[in-house]
Amino acid sequence: MTEQNPPLVVRGGQLLDVVAQCVRQADILIAGGCIVEVGQPEMDAPQGSVVIDATDCLVMPGLVNAHTHGHSSLGKGLGDKWSLELLLNALPWAGGGLTLEDKETAAQLNAAEMILKGCTAAYDMFFEFPTPSEDGLRLAARAYRDVGVRVQLAPMMADTTFYRAVPGLLDSLPAPHRERAEAMAAASHQEHLAVCAQMLNAWDHDRDWARPALGPTIPLHCSDAFLIGCRDLAKDFGAGVQMHLAESKVQAVAGITRYGKTLTAHLDRLGLLGPRFVAAHGIWLDDDDLKLLQDRSAALAHNPASNLRLGSGIAPATKMRDIGLVFGIGTDGSASSDNQNMFEAMRAASFVSRMHSPDPATWLSTWDVLNAATIGGARLLGMGGTIGQITPGFKADLVFLDLANVNFVPLNDAANQIVNCEDSSAVRDVMVDGRMVLKDRQFVNFDYNQLRLKVAAAVGRLAEANVETKERMEAMAPYVAAHCVGLACNPYHVKRTVH
Ligand SMILES: [Zn+2]
């Protein structure tokens, strides 16, 4: 038990203080997994305290990944020129057929990559087909815990297939693709909601480590009855809801066609938006949508690298900041943005914010980005009072960056260099809950080589099992692309791409 361990004192390091927006020399006293005191160098510590030498280190709060998909970590690098819609078309082979053990392996790999790259908590929309399962979610939660990442776990769900969700897509497919797409079926909303109710009822993980949430994936993929059911379950259990919202222009255009209003207005009409609601991506939101999210105290997970990777567009993050909408930064899953590197995601957030205006004063600053990737993300996970800051009373989730790493040589401005230079190679040690989980870039309690073997075995088996599915979906892809490009060429009242 952490409580029985002697206090720790981190000495000699430079501290990244995101609240005060400064970097300064400071020692940190830790007991019971929490930060007790942040003080001057050489401050007093209780007798028997174990000293952690942070000389030549920058100590920063563990980064919080606001949006990922643990099940898709096995899919990194599978695709190249995929739009979101081509990715969705590929998913049956690019992420299909996982056994329970594969799901655990995938979640472990996702968590391991995050720890190696300085991230200690995540909001994971975890997918299982045809419905979530209690076993799958339990194993995913355990996998994150084993590696040392806190997680908000939202089963990702749909009661409508992609082919029925996109207006006109089914009719645009020639035989035999149309028959195949018609034959695909999603589980009913009643089946999904029954599993979720059971999961929420039976959840017995330590909520400091793993919390349950709901992830009805995309408005167009979820019937109104399903969304209302999710809304009510979330309310009954005090659970969060995360959804992909207006991620692609295809979705935004289809939302107007389907609902006669924007996707955000549609969700608001159904009563989904509230303090526990997190919109992922939110690229194709207009000013009214953003204001609606802000008025309802909802939040947003900004995934700038994924948005570039899929050609989805540039989300209006400077507007989010300007109106006070809480937002975090996410990597998205590795099938769509192929790694779990929050340093890259931060840099992308910083850089793409420069595309909204020629006036540099309006761009996201280093501190805007660092704030979103720590304090903002913590609030999205409902952990705003416990993680994301190096402040007394907060959990001791700390990342030690090696200042001898070339990214920090010379050390001109540590905060700017975290956002503009660092690529995770300076991550030396990672502490979660007052315990080192990574030391000198080696996992302390977790066998990475064994994980590699499990991953290789799973990926080999899945590739073989999915050969036919891959052939079928790739044959369908040109038709999906043609239809979706046609939809994306329709006018829309905001512009988020340069074409
Ligand atoms: Zn996603």
Side-chain angles (χ1 to χ4, degrees), residues 35 82 104 129 134 151 163 179 187 200 227 254 261 303 317 330 357 396 400 415 457 465:
I35 296 160
W82 275 347
E104 184 179 26
F129 186 80
E134 275 200 85
V151 67
Y163 304 94
E179 288 69 30
L200 290 164
L227 291 175
K261 50 170 74 76
N303 305 285
S357 161
F400 297 73

Side-chain angles (χ1 to χ4, degrees), residues 205-229:
H205 300 277
D206 179 343
R207 282 170 189 257
D208 279 347
W209 282 95
R211 294 183 183 188
L214 300 172
T217 182
I218 296 168
L220 295 151
H221 296 224
C222 299
S223 65
D224 289 1
F226 187 19
L227 291 175
I228 288 167

Side-chain angles (χ1 to χ4, degrees), residues 71 100 103 126-138 155-157 192:
H71 65 275
L100 262 184
K103 292 171 195 169
F126 195 83
F127 182 63
E128 297 180 81
F129 186 80
T131 67
S133 72
E134 275 200 85
D135 283 345
L137 293 165
R138 181 175 47 77
M156 184 166 86
M157 305 173 285
H192 280 108

Side-chain angles (χ1 to χ4, degrees), residues 67-69 125 156 244 247 280-281 303 332-333 336:
H67 180 67
T68 184
H69 299 285
M125 287 180 76
M156 184 166 86
H244 298 93
E247 179 175 352
H281 299 278
N303 305 285
D332 207 351
S336 50

Side-chain angles (χ1 to χ4, degrees), residues 416-487:
N416 281 341
Q417 281 168 265
I418 288 174
V419 174
N420 292 327
C421 308
E422 172 57 355
D423 50 11
S424 84
S425 62
V427 174
R428 192 189 75 181
D429 306 325
V430 178
M431 175 187 283
V432 183
D433 214 47
R435 290 177 175 221
M436 285 296 188
V437 297
L438 190 78
K439 195 134 184 45
D440 291 324
R441 297 191 68 76
Q442 300 296 316
F443 287 98
V444 177
N445 297 313
F446 169 73
D447 189 337
Y448 177 71
N449 283 322
Q450 201 186 2
L451 172 64
R452 272 187 63 213
L453 295 176
K454 278 199 293 184
V455 168
V459 166
R461 175 170 36 75
L462 289 166
E464 213 169 296
N466 287 328
V467 166
E468 266 180 45
T469 312
K470 183 177 177 182
E471 263 175 32
R472 274 205 313 273
M473 303 325 288
E474 288 198 331
M476 208 185 299
Y479 302 101
V480 171
H483 183 74
C484 291
V485 169
L487 278 181

Side-chain angles (χ1 to χ4, degrees), residues 6-10 28-31 45 49-52 431 434-435:
L8 308 172
V9 61
V10 178
I28 307 164
L29 181 66
I30 295 160
S49 296
V50 174
V51 175
I52 295 174
M431 175 187 283
R435 290 177 175 221

Side-chain angles (χ1 to χ4, degrees), residues 24-48:
R24 58 193 161 88
Q25 286 289 139
D27 287 1
I28 307 164
L29 181 66
I30 295 160
C34 288
I35 296 160
V36 176
E37 189 181 347
V38 180
Q40 295 297 320
E42 299 306 318
M43 72 177 183
D44 289 341
Q47 257 205 334

Side-chain angles (χ1 to χ4, degrees), residues 281-336:
H281 299 278
I283 300 165
W284 294 85
L285 300 178
D286 62 25
D287 287 355
D288 290 342
D289 295 331
L290 289 167
K291 186 167 180 314
L292 203 45
L293 290 170
Q294 157 69 1
D295 285 348
R296 300 284 183 263
S297 304
L300 194 139
H302 178 36
N303 305 285
S306 166
N307 298 344
L308 293 175
R309 166 75 166 89
L310 297 176
S312 302
I314 295 174
T318 53
K319 277 198 183 138
M320 294 171 204
R321 175 206 54 198
D322 292 346
I323 65 167
L325 177 65
V326 173
F327 69 100
I329 292 177
T331 59
D332 207 351
S334 290
S336 50

